[in-house]
């Protein structure tokens, strides 16, 4: 029985690695179609990722790709920066590890794959969704100091994303 679980774990690991690669467009990201030539190796470096294959190397960044997937985590390129994608349901939420404190993150959001990435602040949320008074009323009542980014019981989404899913499900937020 232990051999079965070991084999199952190896198959899952290989399958997740096979999905690693570069998302050339936002549509590729949405459809989870990562580009990666057979037998190529993927390497991260600052705001780029490179694919090495049989002596050739191609570097991808915000100039020529939407993002990438590596080791089960997804990343988005924009304006020569790389953001880890935390959630794509409701509100798209991203994070960047803080250089001064490696145990903390700064959070960002966009209103979808094609939306501009902005710092996730109460002011920016209110400004971006000012045409939705129901959402603004909820945002006003939130204790913004609480950890809006920890997974909730609602589909394991960050609280801020779960809020947007709930509001959108009541047809209050056009996403």
């Amino acid at each position: 029985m232990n051999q079965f679980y070991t084999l199952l774990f190896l198959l899952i690991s290989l399958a997740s690695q096979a999905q690693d690669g570069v998302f050339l467009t936002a549509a590729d990201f949405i459809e989870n179609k990562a580009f990666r030539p057979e037998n190529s190796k993927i390497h991260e470096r600052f705001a780029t990722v490179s694919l090495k294959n049989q002596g050739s190397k191609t570097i991808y960044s915000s100039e020529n790709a939407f993002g990438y997937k590596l080791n089960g985590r997804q990343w988005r390129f924009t304006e020569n920066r790389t953001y880890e994608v935390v959630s794509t349901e409701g509100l798209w939420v991203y994070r960047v590890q803080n250089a001064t404190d490696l145990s903390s993150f700064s959070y960002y959001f966009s209103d979808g794959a094609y939306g501009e990435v902005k710092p996730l602040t109460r002011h920016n949320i209110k400004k971006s969704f000012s045409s939705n008074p129901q959402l603004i009323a909820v945002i006003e009542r939130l204790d913004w100091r609480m950890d809006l980014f920890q997974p909730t019981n609602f589909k394991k989404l960050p609280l801020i994303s779960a809020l947007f899913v709930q509001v959108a499900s009541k047809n209050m937020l056009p996403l």
Side-chain angles (χ1 to χ4, degrees):
M1 190 59 124
N2 284 343
Q3 291 175 335
F4 172 76
Y5 288 117
T6 303
L7 180 61
L8 183 62
F9 176 75
L10 286 173
L11 288 173
I12 291 170
S13 295
L14 289 173
S16 68
Q17 288 177 351
Q19 296 173 358
D20 289 350
V22 176
F23 300 110
L24 299 175
T25 66
D28 290 343
F29 183 90
I30 292 167
E31 296 170 16
N32 199 26
K33 290 183 182 177
F35 167 74
R36 183 173 178 189
E38 198 171 319
N39 299 322
S40 65
K41 295 184 181 185
I42 188 168
H43 299 280
E44 296 174 290
R45 183 171 174 125
F46 303 114
T48 66
V49 67
S50 64
L51 289 177
K52 292 182 181 181
N53 187 24
Q54 299 175 354
S56 69
K57 177 177 169 181
T58 307
I59 297 174
Y60 295 93
S61 68
S62 61
E63 305 271 325
N64 59 356
F66 180 81
Y68 66 98
K69 182 175 184 178
L70 185 60
N71 300 325
R73 295 167 62 188
Q74 296 178 322
W75 305 84
R76 178 179 176 180
F77 296 126
T78 187
E79 299 176 13
N80 295 316
R81 290 195 68 187
T82 306
Y83 299 87
E84 182 180 3
V85 180
V86 176
S87 174
T88 58
E89 270 191 72
L91 184 70
W92 282 45
V93 178
Y94 313 92
R95 70 181 186 177
V96 174
Q97 191 171 36
N98 292 325
T100 55
D101 179 5
L102 298 179
S103 66
S104 67
F105 296 90
S106 294
Y107 288 85
Y108 300 83
F109 78 98
S110 70
D111 60 356
Y114 300 96
E116 177 186 355
V117 176
K118 303 173 189 171
L120 183 51
T121 64
R122 183 191 309 254
H123 174 76
N124 284 343
I125 292 286
K126 287 169 57 177
K127 186 176 173 184
S128 294
F129 298 98
S130 61
S131 63
N132 187 321
Q134 296 93 345
L135 178 64
I136 299 304
V138 171
I139 294 294
E140 286 294 334
R141 288 193 304 264
L142 274 178
D143 179 0
W144 205 255
R145 294 170 302 203
M146 67 193 298
D147 197 351
L148 296 173
F149 315 108
Q150 292 301 312
T152 64
N153 289 332
F154 182 77
K155 294 186 178 183
K156 302 281 188 219
L157 295 175
L159 178 59
I160 192 74
S161 293
L163 168 69
F164 274 75
V165 170
Q166 287 288 69
V167 172
S169 71
K170 294 182 172 130
N171 295 320
M172 292 198 255
L173 179 65
L175 290 178

